[in-house]
C-alpha cells in the first residue's frame, strides 16, 4: 500500500521485496477518495521510474476507491488473493487512526 508518491519509500519497498521475498510481481495499491486525486498520476509516474530500475520485478499499480482502513485492506486481500501478511505499509505516523493489529498481519517498512 502506498500513501503517496514518495520515490524513496517506493524504491525502498521494491528493493526490500526483491531482496527478501520470493515473488517477482509487486502490486502497489493506492486507496483514493476522489478519482481526480493528483497523487494517482504522481504515483504512476514514479512507479514507471522504479520499474526501469528493477527490470526483474513486475510492478502493477492497483487503484482502490475508498478510505484506507482495515476493512479495505481485507477486501483487497480477498480480491487479489494476497494474504495480509504478504502486504506492506510504510510505518504509520502519530495521527494514524487505527491500531496496526486491526490490519490482520500487514507488515511495515520503516522509512
Amino acid at each position: 500500500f502506498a500513501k503517496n508518491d514518495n520515490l524513496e519509500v517506493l524504491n525502498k519497498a521494491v528493493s526490500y521485496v526483491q531482496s527478501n521475498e520470493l515473488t517477482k510481481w509487486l502490486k502497489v495499491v493506492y486507496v483514493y477518495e476522489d478519482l481526480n486525486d493528483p497523487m494517482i498520476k504522481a504515483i504512476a509516474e514514479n512507479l514507471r521510474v522504479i520499474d526501469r530500475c528493477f527490470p526483474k520485478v513486475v510492478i502493477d499499480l492497483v487503484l482502490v476507491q475508498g478510505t484506507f482502513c482495515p476493512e479495505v485492506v481485507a477486501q483487497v486481500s480477498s480480491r487479489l488473493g494476497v494474504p495480509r501478511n504478504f502486504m506492506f505499509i510504510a510505518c504509520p505516523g502519530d495521527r494514524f487512526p487505527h491500531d496496526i493489529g486491526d490490519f490482520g498481519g500487514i507488515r511495515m517498512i520503516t522509512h
Side-chain angles (χ1 to χ4, degrees):
F1 286 88
K3 67 179 172 183
N4 59 42
D5 67 331
N6 185 315
L7 191 57
E8 182 181 359
V9 173
L10 293 170
N11 181 63
K12 187 174 184 178
V14 176
S15 180
Y16 174 86
V17 169
Q18 184 178 40
S19 298
N20 297 293
E21 304 294 329
L22 296 176
T23 189
K24 298 297 180 203
W25 187 9
L26 186 65
K27 294 177 185 280
V28 177
V29 179
Y30 179 66
V31 181
Y32 66 93
E33 292 182 11
D34 179 3
L35 192 55
N36 295 316
D37 182 348
M39 194 61 62
I40 295 170
K41 183 178 178 184
I43 290 173
E45 289 173 359
N46 282 349
L47 287 178
R48 280 192 285 277
V49 171
I50 291 172
D51 190 51
R52 289 193 303 271
C53 296
F54 295 91
K56 293 181 180 180
V57 178
V58 175
I59 302 172
D60 291 336
L61 175 59
V62 178
L63 300 174
V64 176
Q65 189 169 20
T67 301
F68 184 76
C69 63
E71 294 80 13
V72 167
V73 171
Q75 289 171 358
V76 170
S77 173
S78 176
R79 191 158 285 185
L80 296 179
V82 177
R84 286 179 276 181
N85 64 318
F86 286 9
M87 296 179 167
F88 301 90
I89 61 170
C91 190
D94 295 338
R95 298 186 331 203
F96 190 62
H98 306 284
D99 185 289
I100 196 68
D102 294 339
F103 287 87
I106 199 167
R107 295 190 273 169
M108 285 187 288
I109 295 177
T110 58
H111 294 109

